Amino acid sequence: MKRILRVIAFSAGALALAGCSPSLNEVAVDARSERAVAAAHLDPQAALAQLNAYRASKGLRPVQLDSSLDVMAQHQADAMAASGQLSHTVGGVFMTRLASDHIDAGEAGENLGAGYYSLDDAMAGWKGSAEHNANMLRPGFTRMGVAIAKNARTSYGVYWSMEFAGEPAPKAL
């Protein structure tokens, strides 16, 4: 069971949120499912390389890994795995999470997914979603962070979060 949650993105303070998923019930864990969840892994450098190759194929500049966005992504993935929910708000409202993780950006966005057991599958899911694809190809994004979290006792097992940000917002004079 694979799912992606519609993207949220904001630019200069405007926030759009689309599609929330209901809470997921815990499921019985069989050995095969537990092994599949345990085997899922993420190499952030591989994610960066795959994203940047995709962006380059569309004539866009690369993004850089940002440790603050990695932390934000991990917080969100952990919150989803702990709750069994694929949700942009389970870890807190996006704007609040940006502030609490000290992310200064003129524009930012988030791609979430669940039930994918490999980076290739998660990326394919995001490319196949107009909203997620738009985030990956947004010219103003210059930084990204990515994380997964696992909980074999939930329907999805593996939860993905990819955070994006542009340059810091211009300061008012």
Side-chain angles (χ1 to χ4, degrees), residues 64-73 101 103 143-146:
Q64 302 297 316
L65 273 178
D66 182 298
S67 60
S68 296
L69 290 170
D70 282 338
V71 168
M72 183 178 172
D101 286 322
I103 310 296
R143 304 175 280 159
M144 64 86 76
V146 63

Side-chain angles (χ1 to χ4, degrees), residues 6 8 16 43 51 54-55 57 64 76 102 139 142 158:
R6 293 184 191 265
I8 67 177
D43 175 351
L51 176 62
Y54 184 52
R55 289 175 61 88
S57 76
Q64 302 297 316
Q76 185 63 15
H102 309 289
T142 58
V158 182

Side-chain angles (χ1 to χ4, degrees), residues 24-75:
L24 304 174
N25 296 323
E26 283 197 359
V27 296
V29 180
D30 62 47
R32 183 173 164 230
S33 295
E34 198 163 26
R35 282 192 305 273
V37 169
H41 71 282
L42 169 65
D43 175 351
Q45 289 295 330
L48 178 67
Q50 192 169 353
L51 176 62
N52 281 336
Y54 184 52
R55 289 175 61 88
S57 76
K58 305 295 184 185
L60 297 169
R61 294 188 324 200
V63 298
Q64 302 297 316
L65 273 178
D66 182 298
S67 60
S68 296
L69 290 170
D70 282 338
V71 168
M72 183 178 172
Q74 193 64 62
H75 288 159

Side-chain angles (χ1 to χ4, degrees), residues 5 10 16 29-30 46 52 58 78-79 90 92 96 106 115 128 132-133 135 147 149 151 153 156 163 171:
L5 188 60
F10 80 94
V29 180
D30 62 47
N52 281 336
K58 305 295 184 185
D78 289 343
V90 71
T96 303
H132 292 92
N133 193 54
N135 258 358
N151 184 345
R153 297 195 179 284
Y156 295 130
E163 307 295 337
K171 303 296 181 208

